[in-house]
């Protein structure tokens, strides 16, 4: 086959360091999500939707065939962390957690995942990030050691 054709849809989830609520202010949270979308676009990995409450982010994107998920997430975290620290105040102490979760999404599930991400504020009125992340790991059959997934 002379071409490589892909449609790699990935739901990426990561938290602020120690789940600190750096993104509490709606304007900062909205600006962060928009900025993350720009990073994805520049990496040729267009975001379908981005959302989350004050302490973590959910990002659904199409990962380009030449990009690894780990490189994409590393770039997203590095670039956005530098950007938000320039906003001043408490944001100068901003950090993302070290790790992340990345879960494959089939085309038939895009609408459901998009809706889930878009409803994050409401969802987290009843569930913590840790509860949600454990649920993802179990649903996607990802083995983990509780001692090493939180920072």
């Amino acid at each position: 086959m002379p071409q490589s054709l892909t449609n790699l849809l990935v739901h990426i989830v990561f938290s602020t360091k120690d789940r600190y609520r750096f993104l509490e202010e709606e304007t900062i949270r909205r600006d962060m999500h928009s900025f993350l979308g720009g990073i994805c676009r520049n990496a040729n990995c267009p975001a379908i939707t981005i959302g989350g409450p004050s302490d973590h982010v959910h990002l659904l994107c199409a990962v380009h065939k030449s990009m690894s998920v780990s490189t994409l997430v590393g770039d997203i975290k590095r670039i956005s962390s530098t950007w938000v620290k320039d906003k001043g105040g408490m944001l100068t102490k901003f950090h993302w957690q070290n790790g992340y979760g990345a879960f494959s999404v089939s085309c038939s599930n895009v609408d459901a995942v998009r809706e889930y991400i878009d409803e994050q504020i409401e969802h987290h009125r009843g569930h913590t990030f840790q509860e949600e992340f454990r649920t993802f790991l179990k649903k996607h059959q990802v083995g983990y050691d509780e001692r090493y997934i939180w920072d």
Side-chain angles (χ1 to χ4, degrees), residues 27-28 30-33 35-36 78-87:
T27 302
I28 292 294
R30 186 178 55 243
D31 289 351
M32 174 64 83
H33 296 167
F35 192 77
L36 298 177
R78 179 180 44 78
I79 295 167
S80 64
S81 183
T82 300
W83 168 80
V84 79
K85 286 177 182 179
D86 286 340
K87 301 293 180 198

Side-chain angles (χ1 to χ4, degrees), residues 28-137:
I28 292 294
R29 184 172 54 251
R30 186 178 55 243
D31 289 351
M32 174 64 83
H33 296 167
S34 178
F35 192 77
L36 298 177
I39 297 168
C40 290
R41 186 175 48 257
N42 290 340
N44 214 5
C45 298
I48 297 166
T49 193
I50 301 170
S54 61
D55 66 348
H56 70 279
V57 169
H58 290 258
L59 193 150
L60 176 61
C61 67
V63 179
H64 190 269
K65 63 187 175 192
S66 66
M67 176 72 72
S68 72
V69 173
S70 63
T71 298
L72 176 62
V73 174
D75 289 350
I76 288 170
K77 287 181 176 184
R78 179 180 44 78
I79 295 167
S80 64
S81 183
T82 300
W83 168 80
V84 79
K85 286 177 182 179
D86 286 340
K87 301 293 180 198
M90 280 299 294
L91 293 173
T92 60
K93 300 178 187 300
F94 184 91
H95 288 283
W96 292 115
Q97 73 175 112
N98 289 324
Y100 65 91
F103 309 98
S104 59
V105 176
S106 67
C107 289
S108 62
N109 275 336
V110 167
D111 289 339
V113 174
R114 179 189 324 225
E115 183 178 326
Y116 179 81
I117 291 172
D118 292 346
E119 297 296 324
Q120 277 294 292
I121 302 297
E122 182 63 32
H123 173 76
H124 283 286
R125 289 195 174 117
H127 306 316
T128 67
F129 170 75
Q130 290 92 332
E131 291 168 336
E132 177 185 54
F133 198 70
R134 283 185 201 103
T135 299
F136 274 114
L137 294 172

